[in-house]
Amino acid sequence: DLGANVEGANEFFMFHGSKPSSVTNIVSNDFMVKLAGTRRGTLYGPGIYFAESSSKADEYADDDKSGIYRGLYAMLLCRVTLGKSLYVDEAFPDGKKLQDACVGSNATHHSVLGDREKTRGTYREFIIFDNNQVYPEYVIIYRRAEQE
């Protein structure tokens, strides 16, 4: 029963890459699951994606093309409550099936752990489908070092 209290909330600090203007909007107005996938893919379903590695989050970061953040990138360091995670190590998972496992009255899990480290040799991804499971704790604005 997902409504009952479970031992341990499975809460972690995780990174979420974006652009400065979007990060400002998230901090002011919260994450919006309905916007999931509008800028990037949704391999594990239309949720909010997080990484335990800032390098992975940087892959999703973008710079603002104008304004005070022109040329700067952003990410959030968030408190994310994963609850009971659904572990997935498939190269091409069924995103709809994963979303259904985490949303609605028949949900069996609270989040998805996509193990891209195992399947592709990259980074693990953590996905939630409820914005109440995340709190943006820190805003990180940065400039990428130029490659020589």
Side-chain angles (χ1 to χ4, degrees), residues 18-29 62-66 69 72-74 141:
S18 192
K19 60 183 182 177
S21 57
S22 295
V23 163
T24 302
N25 191 39
I26 291 168
V27 169
S28 299
N29 301 306
D62 204 356
D63 65 328
D64 280 336
K65 305 301 180 204
S66 62
Y69 295 116
L72 298 175
Y73 295 78
I141 306 289

Side-chain angles (χ1 to χ4, degrees), residues 18-124:
S18 192
K19 60 183 182 177
S21 57
S22 295
V23 163
T24 302
N25 191 39
I26 291 168
V27 169
S28 299
N29 301 306
D30 210 351
F31 281 91
M32 294 184 193
V33 177
K34 67 181 181 182
L35 296 178
T38 56
R39 286 189 351 106
R40 302 289 181 168
T42 55
L43 180 65
Y44 298 101
I48 306 168
Y49 285 61
F50 297 93
E52 57 199 342
S53 166
S54 61
S55 296
K56 176 63 178 176
D58 180 64
E59 292 177 8
Y60 292 93
D62 204 356
D63 65 328
D64 280 336
K65 305 301 180 204
S66 62
I68 62 171
Y69 295 116
R70 183 172 165 244
L72 298 175
Y73 295 78
M75 65 178 69
L76 293 167
L77 183 58
C78 301
R79 287 182 182 268
V80 183
T81 303
L82 297 175
K84 183 178 178 183
S85 291
L86 175 58
Y87 176 82
V88 179
D89 62 358
E90 302 166 24
F92 301 101
D94 182 340
K96 175 70 171 124
K97 181 179 170 186
L98 298 176
Q99 179 187 17
D100 290 345
C102 297
V103 177
S105 60
N106 294 324
T108 56
H109 294 79
H110 301 103
S111 62
V112 172
L113 188 174
D115 196 347
R116 304 297 285 170
E117 185 174 33
K118 180 179 178 183
T119 60
R120 296 288 187 206
T122 60
Y123 300 97
R124 300 189 312 169

